[in-house]
Amino acid sequence: MAKITFPVEATHIMMFARAIGDTNPVYHDAEAAKNTEAGGIIAPPSFAQAVAQFDPEYHLRPKPGQKWFGSGATPSGVDGKPASSGGLHAEQHYEYVRPLRPGDVLTCETKPGKTWERESKRAGKLTFRERVTEYRDQNGELVMIARGVGVTTERPVDAG
Amino acid sequence: MALKASALKVGDTHKERVVENLSRTQIVQYAGVSGDYNPLHTDEVYTTQAAGYKSVFAHGMLTMGLTSKMLTNYVGDGRLTKFGVRFTNQVWPGDTLDSTATVEAVRNEGGQNYVDLKLSTTNQDGKEVVAGSATARIDP
């Protein structure tokens, strides 16, 4: 898989903190953040998920000139798409060496991990796929490791 | 505001309400900033008529982010060494979520003190939507 370059920016961090409803000044106020233990603005713990913005091929972003599977004139813009859901997120794990900061330019490399299957009452056969991403900074130092597990279900999950 | 090993014991808990009456707009905010524009989270027409769900639902990662707010308020900024979750149930518009951290261990490794936490986020019906764990550096 290609490496992705992920520039960490203060505005992006501010918007991410807003989306999770976190008003901690360490995510948006450079002056206030200076006087904290962090010594400046840092990113929230799950911010690295926004690396998707920097993946040119990311499949869950509409692209000009390509059919999008969300609704437009019809409930889905793609013909013949099965009624079953696509993938869902089952697990996410992070190991941190240090917090991400504005100005960091990260290089992210994702490798497939384990695959396994399980039967579920609520969604039929579940297929789990693991992906491990290493984040290195502008000095080549490892700053964090992310391990995500995606699941594809046989049918939509019963809300039960 | 860092936690102190000397003041923590196994079983201590910290609990916060992390969202009240989750809005579709907040889910849209998260889609926009994270870059995950899966219509299952923002497009009611697609989600109900094409995908077969009762409504759009939150990104698991939004629930992880909401859980992280409780966690960093408790352990302090930049103190986490590990944070992991499993998404155990979906989170829907209108949900109100409470997140709890419970101290599982207070330990010293190579001269550094750590706390191991068990995490749980539940909805207004008491159903767990996120189960997880975290480790943070703490003061002596």
Side-chain angles (χ1 to χ4, degrees):
Chain A
M1 202 166 287
K3 289 184 182 177
I4 296 172
T5 302
F6 178 8
V8 178
E9 294 165 357
T11 307
H12 198 186
I13 291 174
M14 178 191 76
M15 292 170 70
F16 189 94
R18 281 183 182 163
I20 61 170
D22 197 329
T23 56
N24 188 337
V26 80
Y27 301 137
H28 67 263
D29 184 336
E31 276 307 307
K34 257 188 219 168
N35 301 317
T36 66
E37 185 189 358
I41 289 179
I42 60 173
S46 59
F47 175 75
Q49 190 69 12
V51 67
Q53 300 280 16
F54 302 95
D55 178 354
E57 304 302 322
Y58 190 59
H59 65 294
L60 294 175
R61 178 176 65 241
K63 297 178 194 67
Q66 292 181 24
K67 284 189 174 176
W68 175 242
F69 65 107
S71 68
T74 53
S76 175
V78 177
D79 295 334
K81 184 181 158 54
S84 170
S85 69
L88 296 173
H89 202 163
E91 296 180 34
Q92 186 65 40
H93 304 268
Y94 295 111
E95 285 178 47
Y96 307 96
V97 179
R98 67 162 175 86
L100 308 180
R101 296 175 183 276
D104 278 336
V105 180
L106 307 175
T107 301
C108 318
E109 189 171 18
T110 300
K111 292 175 180 162
K114 288 178 292 186
T115 299
W116 65 97
E117 288 182 355
R118 187 161 69 76
E119 276 301 320
S120 124
K121 278 186 199 151
R122 287 167 57 206
K125 190 174 90 173
L126 307 178
T127 306
F128 293 89
R129 289 185 187 82
E130 191 179 61
R131 287 157 53 91
V132 180
T133 306
E134 288 188 357
Y135 293 79
R136 288 179 187 277
D137 68 11
Q138 49 282 6
N139 303 313
E141 301 284 343
L142 183 68
V143 291
M144 65 180 288
I145 300 172
R147 183 168 65 84
V149 179
V151 58
T152 46
T153 65
E154 198 171 3
R155 56 177 189 269
V157 182
D158 177 358
Chain B
M1 64 162 280
L3 296 174
K4 289 183 165 47
S6 56
L8 279 178
K9 55 184 192 305
V10 171
D12 284 354
T13 62
H14 173 80
K15 183 174 180 177
E16 285 182 27
R17 176 145 297 175
V18 293
V19 71
E20 191 146 5
N21 188 12
L22 175 67
S23 65
R24 287 173 177 79
T25 307
Q26 185 167 358
I27 298 173
V28 168
Q29 261 185 305
Y30 190 82
V33 75
S34 69
D36 179 345
Y37 302 100
N38 191 333
L40 286 175
H41 305 306
T42 56
D43 183 339
E44 194 84 17
V45 173
Y46 167 83
T47 305
T48 56
Q49 296 179 33
Y53 287 94
K54 68 176 183 181
S55 148
V56 294
F57 50 92
H59 306 72
M61 289 306 295
L62 170 54
T63 311
M64 186 176 197
L66 292 168
T67 303
S68 80
K69 178 167 55 167
M70 173 281 296
L71 182 58
T72 51
N73 284 343
Y74 186 42
V75 305
D77 302 323
R79 291 250 171 186
L80 288 174
T81 59
K82 282 185 185 178
F83 175 31
V85 299
R86 280 185 303 117
F87 305 107
T88 53
N89 276 292
Q90 281 156 301
V91 171
W92 305 95
D95 278 0
T96 291
L97 304 181
D98 292 314
S99 292
T100 308
T102 306
V103 174
E104 295 238 289
V106 181
R107 57 192 174 80
N108 186 293
E109 202 178 295
Q112 173 65 55
N113 293 288
Y114 295 93
V115 63
D116 295 324
L117 301 166
K118 186 177 135 192
L119 309 174
S120 176
T121 297
T122 54
N123 67 15
Q124 62 284 352
D125 301 321
K127 191 188 268 190
E128 189 169 65
V129 295
V130 151
S133 61
T135 300
R137 289 181 296 107
I138 56 174
D139 290 346

